[in-house]
Amino acid sequence: METTRALMPRARQDELVVEELRDETLVYDLERHKARCLNPTAALVWRHCDGQTSVAEVAALLEEQSATPADESVVWMALDRLSRAHLLSEPVTLPAERARYSRREMLRTLRRVAGISLLLPVIESIVSPLAAAQASCISIAVCGSFPISACGGAPICGDPGQCCERQGQTCTSKKC
Amino acid sequence: MRSWQAAPLSDNDPRRLGKAVASALAGAWRASPSPPSPSLTPAALTEVTPLLLRTGAASLAWWRMRSSELGTTAAAHELRQAYRMYTLQAGRKEDQIVQAITLLRSAGVEPLLVKGWAVARLYPERGLRPYGDIDLCVRPEQYAVAVTALAAPGAETIVVDLHKGLPQLHRPSLDKVYERSQLVRLGDVDVRILGTEDHLRYMCVHMLRHGAYRGLWLCDVAVVLESLPKDFDWAYLLRGDRRCADWVASSVGLAHQLLGARLDGIPPEERTRSLPRWLLPSVLRQWSIGEHYMDSVPSMAYALRHPTQLLKALRLRWPNPIQATVRVGGPFNELPRLPFQLAECVSRTTYFITQMPSMVRQRSLRPVGGWGTPPIAKKGGEGA
């Protein structure tokens, strides 16, 4: 197993709502109004993004908890995905030898270990427009009263296809 | 009681999808619901998924499907996405409830939380029962103070549906309602909610006033029925206005017959009460449509500006028999419902016409509660 002394980056703390479920972790980004679902591998890596633990330690922990051989490639792949999802305090920079890895190469490495499907870090976007429309339609007046940081994209009651979105320095009804 | 499952429905029957919705939701409020019946096929689930999503019942349907073969279907994935979204929303809503109650208490107002979190807390997980706004009831004389308190800086995004008392409860005294209320812990505050009898009564009447169009509301009735305290007072629940008592008892019967709610501890005379023949088919027909004017369908103001939507807007405003009967204060008996539907329609049209000038002034701001609903003061928008 390849090991490095690289330390884990720090996870982003601000403007996130986190819900831990039995088999997944849900994260809502209050800045970008994006909801994401982390599978156990991605969640474990994210939980250890403390700037102190090493990548090798997390790989070992992953192996221990999943009872499946794991190597650092899995952790780096998870970090890459967490970074793209804006869940780290700073964008992660893969070490030189990892940066050369294409996704295919990464997968080739991963296939060397058993239980690949269980170990792959997955970060899924949560999209459910109909459910969102049901949950919280608001009037234009309410939308207009929101501060711009909280426009939120909620559907406008009685105006199909219109949502509360930012326009300049105000929240207003715009096409969803 | 008659069993609605006994009669198979043809493909053209307008109640067919409603029956599939009922199959998806039966027992879904339990911690470990039984798997859905084989009659709910993957194709049927695909067909009813938009209905479940539109009416806030997607989470519950996912909860029921998750351990069955249907749990791996594309439709179940859509339901699961809604479950995840509602779970995330629930945490934020709870924070907002705490914030709203703290603001009101600091202004000397003691609010009563109804529906929403008050019933969501009875489900096995908080994301199973979504709610849009926060329904708070205050004493009428404190209403103005409450509105001011909720307009405080930082509270702009809390969507509160503020009620002046609880007239829908058909109780003679709000003091009595407060006296029977209970305090339940949420985070750092004690939230005052209705006593179980008043809460069940309120939910039943609310559901019927809106034509029982959301399967979720009948699940609420079912979850309360299966969480009744030992000292639950059936006589108090059904006390007072006879017609209102009949509505409540019929809602209990509906939850049992349609969704399989257990009636342990219910007086024998209530268990054997038969429902009017039109009631159950009306619910199934409404659940098959999955749209209602209370939801995000074209408002009349919008439809008047977009004439192509006018027909749809009018069609959705024809009251179903349940809604019509309860809104005009009619009895649940075997007489035809058409007179009640006509009366309710006339009443709402009259109200709409009287409200038209202010609607035009406010452009697409929907009249509170939709076309013709008796006004309920709102700080925010609509919700479950």
Side-chain angles (χ1 to χ4, degrees):
Chain A
M1 186 187 295
E2 294 178 62
T3 58
T4 65
R5 290 174 152 225
L7 294 180
M8 297 290 281
R10 287 186 187 281
R12 186 178 143 203
Q13 305 284 343
D14 299 331
E15 299 293 296
L16 294 180
V17 176
V18 182
E19 286 287 334
E20 305 266 357
L21 298 181
R22 200 177 310 160
D23 53 356
E24 56 193 23
T25 298
L26 309 178
V27 185
Y28 189 81
D29 184 336
L30 294 166
E31 270 177 16
R32 292 171 182 80
H33 297 289
K34 299 268 185 209
R36 298 185 193 280
C37 173
L38 279 55
N39 78 346
T41 300
L44 183 141
V45 172
W46 193 49
R47 270 202 306 276
H48 288 87
C49 285
D50 53 8
Q52 294 175 354
T53 312
S54 73
V55 171
E57 284 173 318
V58 175
L61 196 66
L62 200 56
E63 186 167 318
E64 184 188 313
Q65 293 209 353
S66 63
T68 307
D71 83 14
E72 287 183 32
S73 303
V74 182
V75 181
W76 284 111
M77 181 185 265
L79 289 176
D80 185 41
R81 290 179 180 184
L82 289 165
S83 179
R84 286 168 200 262
H86 305 282
L87 296 179
L88 301 178
S89 59
E90 288 174 8
V92 74
T93 310
L94 298 181
E97 67 272 24
R98 302 285 171 193
R100 287 198 302 271
Y101 269 26
S102 66
R103 179 167 294 191
R104 186 178 296 174
E105 286 167 322
M106 188 86 81
L107 283 171
R108 200 179 301 143
T109 307
L110 286 167
R111 280 199 194 100
R112 290 203 302 267
V113 298
I116 179 174
S117 59
L118 290 175
L119 264 183
L120 273 178
V122 177
I123 300 176
E124 187 183 352
S125 288
I126 303 173
V127 183
S128 186
L130 264 178
Q134 181 283 323
S136 51
C137 77
I138 57 174
S139 68
I140 290 179
V142 171
C143 168
S145 71
F146 286 171
I148 53 170
S149 58
C151 300
I156 302 295
C157 299
D159 235 347
Q162 295 293 112
C163 291
C164 184
E165 302 282 2
R166 181 177 173 175
Q167 186 166 46
Q169 291 306 304
T170 56
C171 295
T172 188
S173 168
K174 289 173 74 177
K175 197 168 182 184
C176 301
Chain B
M1 284 186 177
R2 277 174 287 126
S3 173
W4 66 278
Q5 289 100 333
L9 302 179
S10 74
D11 283 355
N12 298 325
D13 193 303
R15 298 165 296 171
R16 185 179 59 85
L17 291 180
K19 191 172 170 180
V21 168
S23 292
L25 296 180
W29 56 88
R30 296 179 188 134
S32 303
S34 58
S37 77
S39 66
L40 189 67
T41 60
L45 182 63
T46 303
E47 216 174 349
V48 296
T49 291
L51 300 177
L52 294 164
L53 284 164
R54 264 205 296 266
T55 54
S59 257
L60 278 172
W62 157 249
W63 190 249
R64 178 112 197 271
M65 307 299 146
R66 72 192 201 287
S67 305
S68 73
E69 285 179 7
L70 289 171
T72 56
T73 59
H77 182 71
E78 271 193 77
L79 300 173
R80 186 178 196 179
Q81 291 286 59
Y83 158 78
R84 289 165 168 166
M85 182 175 281
Y86 293 147
T87 300
L88 279 168
Q89 285 174 349
R92 296 185 69 197
K93 291 283 177 198
E94 288 178 5
D95 291 344
Q96 292 186 343
I97 291 170
V98 169
Q99 203 182 338
I101 289 174
T102 306
L103 278 170
L104 289 170
R105 286 207 176 125
S106 64
V109 177
E110 181 63 15
L112 264 169
L113 179 76
V114 295
K115 302 186 291 163
W117 179 82
V119 67
R121 70 191 183 89
L122 299 176
Y123 286 85
E125 285 192 11
R126 61 184 180 179
L128 292 179
R129 204 296 186 189
Y131 45 97
D133 46 18
I134 301 165
D135 288 272
L136 292 174
C137 152
V138 296
R139 294 178 187 277
E141 63 273 20
Q142 293 188 311
Y143 181 78
V145 179
V147 169
T148 308
L150 291 171
E156 300 92 341
T157 55
I158 307 176
V159 184
V160 172
D161 187 351
L162 200 58
H163 302 257
K164 274 183 190 170
L166 284 171
Q168 285 184 30
L169 208 49
H170 294 253
R171 290 287 191 215
S173 149
L174 190 58
D175 285 336
K176 181 81 175 165
V177 172
Y178 265 89
E179 192 184 301
R180 295 182 67 94
S181 66
Q182 48 186 325
L183 288 168
V184 183
R185 197 75 180 163
L186 174 60
D188 294 333
V189 302
D190 286 321
V191 179
R192 186 170 296 281
I193 62 172
L194 292 171
T196 312
E197 295 85 357
D198 283 334
H199 196 202
L200 180 57
R201 186 171 169 119
Y202 184 84
M203 286 191 303
C204 292
V205 175
H206 173 267
M207 173 183 74
L208 298 173
R209 275 180 64 82
H210 294 301
Y213 80 94
R214 287 187 172 174
L216 182 70
W217 289 333
L218 199 57
C219 289
D220 287 347
V221 172
V223 79
V224 172
L225 285 173
E226 294 192 5
S227 328
L228 294 181
K230 284 200 168 60
D231 59 350
F232 187 82
D233 187 344
W234 281 94
Y236 180 78
L237 173 75
L238 301 173
R239 188 179 301 162
D241 181 82
R242 175 73 202 157
R243 287 183 179 180
C244 182
D246 279 348
W247 301 339
V248 173
S250 296
S251 303
V252 170
L254 269 179
H256 173 61
Q257 289 200 27
L258 264 182
L259 300 180
R262 295 181 190 127
L263 300 184
D264 308 337
I266 293 184
E269 63 275 19
E270 295 308 329
R271 275 193 226 181
T272 51
R273 180 194 286 248
S274 59
L275 302 177
R277 265 178 303 183
W278 51 268
L279 183 58
L280 208 142
S282 297
V283 175
L284 292 179
R285 207 173 293 121
Q286 185 63 53
W287 287 4
S288 298
I289 299 168
E291 278 187 312
H292 192 269
Y293 73 85
M294 289 294 293
D295 268 334
S296 194
V297 297
S299 63
M300 283 311 292
Y302 177 88
L304 289 172
R305 284 183 285 117
H306 301 83
T308 52
Q309 294 289 319
L310 197 55
L311 201 62
K312 181 182 180 186
L314 287 171
R315 182 174 53 79
L316 287 169
R317 279 159 180 79
W318 175 247
N320 76 24
I322 307 164
Q323 174 183 335
T325 306
V326 172
R327 285 190 182 230
V328 301
F332 272 16
N333 57 24
E334 297 296 347
L335 292 175
R337 296 294 105 181
L338 185 61
F340 296 107
Q341 290 172 285
L342 289 171
E344 205 267 346
C345 216
V346 168
S347 155
R348 273 193 301 133
T349 306
T350 309
Y351 178 76
F352 176 67
I353 291 167
T354 59
Q355 293 297 305
M356 201 122 165
S358 65
M359 278 170 59
V360 169
R361 276 198 302 275
Q362 295 175 51
R363 210 168 149 262
S364 58
L365 179 61
R366 185 160 70 153
V368 169
W371 171 24
T373 307
I376 297 168
K378 284 220 169 196
K379 173 179 179 279
E382 303 279 342

